[in-house]
C-alpha cells in the first residue's frame, strides 16, 4: 500500500520559513518524480514544485521561484519543500504527489499517488 505522509506545516509570520517533508512508503521511490501542490480555500489546486527521479532537475512556477526549493533524499524515500520569504498568499494545504510518467509538464491529473496534505498558514 502506497503512502505519502506530509509533515512540517504550521503557522508562520510573513517573511518566515517552513520546511515541509513528505515520507513515501510502499513504492520504489526512485521510479517516481515527486511534486508539491497547494490548495487555498475556494481555489483550485495549483502546482508548486517538481523534482526529477534523480533530484537533478527541478521545476517551479513563477509564483514561488526563488523562494521555494524542492529536494529529495532517495536513501530516505523523502521529498522536501523549503519555503522562505513566505507571504500570506502562500496560505494553503500543501500536498505531495508521486508521478511515474515522463511528461515534461504533467498536470495534477497525471500524478499517481497523493498525500493527505499539511496546512500552512502565513499571517500578515
Amino acid at each position: 500500500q502506497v503512502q505519502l505522509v506530509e509533515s512540517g506545516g504550521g503557522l508562520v509570520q510573513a517573511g518566515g520559513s517552513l520546511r515541509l517533508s513528505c515520507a513515501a512508503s510502499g513504492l520504489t521511490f526512485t521510479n517516481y518524480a515527486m511534486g508539491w501542490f497547494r490548495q487555498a480555500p475556494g481555489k483550485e489546486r495549483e502546482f508548486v514544485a517538481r523534482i526529477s527521479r534523480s533530484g537533478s532537475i527541478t521545476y517551479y512556477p513563477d509564483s514561488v521561484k526563488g523562494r521555494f526549493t524542492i529536494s529529495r533524499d532517495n536513501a530516505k524515500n523523502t521529498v522536501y519543500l523549503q519555503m522562505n520569504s513566505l507571504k500570506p498568499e502562500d496560505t494553503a494545504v500543501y500536498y505531495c504527489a508521486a508521478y511515474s510518467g515522463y511528461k515534461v509538464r504533467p498536470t495534477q491529473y497525471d500524478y499517481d499517488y497523493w498525500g493527505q496534505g499539511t496546512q500552512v498558514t502565513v499571517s500578515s
Side-chain angles (χ1 to χ4, degrees):
Q1 181 182 358
V2 175
Q3 282 193 310
L4 301 178
V5 180
E6 301 96 337
S7 61
L11 174 64
V12 64
Q13 288 189 333
S17 298
L18 280 176
R19 188 194 196 203
L20 305 184
S21 299
C22 172
S25 61
L27 52 70
T28 303
F29 191 60
T30 52
N31 285 352
Y32 293 83
M34 298 297 295
W36 285 97
F37 292 77
R38 66 186 181 188
Q39 188 166 21
K43 294 188 177 182
E44 293 188 355
R45 188 174 297 185
E46 64 171 340
F47 167 69
V48 173
R50 187 171 81 254
I51 189 166
S52 62
R53 289 159 177 76
S54 67
S56 61
I57 303 173
T58 57
Y59 306 86
Y60 307 93
D62 288 343
S63 58
V64 307
K65 195 174 294 182
R67 299 189 300 122
F68 289 11
T69 302
I70 188 172
S71 61
R72 65 190 292 164
D73 185 336
N74 286 342
K76 296 183 177 179
N77 285 7
T78 301
V79 61
Y80 305 96
L81 185 68
Q82 178 67 44
M83 305 185 294
N84 299 330
S85 302
L86 282 162
K87 305 175 182 180
E89 51 263 44
D90 294 319
T91 295
V93 177
Y94 283 71
Y95 300 88
C96 72
Y99 173 59
S100 64
Y102 293 89
K103 291 182 179 179
V104 174
R105 297 180 186 274
T107 71
Q108 60 176 304
Y109 306 105
D110 294 315
Y111 282 73
D112 301 272
Y113 303 105
W114 290 82
Q116 297 283 68
T118 185
Q119 176 70 46
V120 172
T121 303
V122 184
S123 63
S124 56

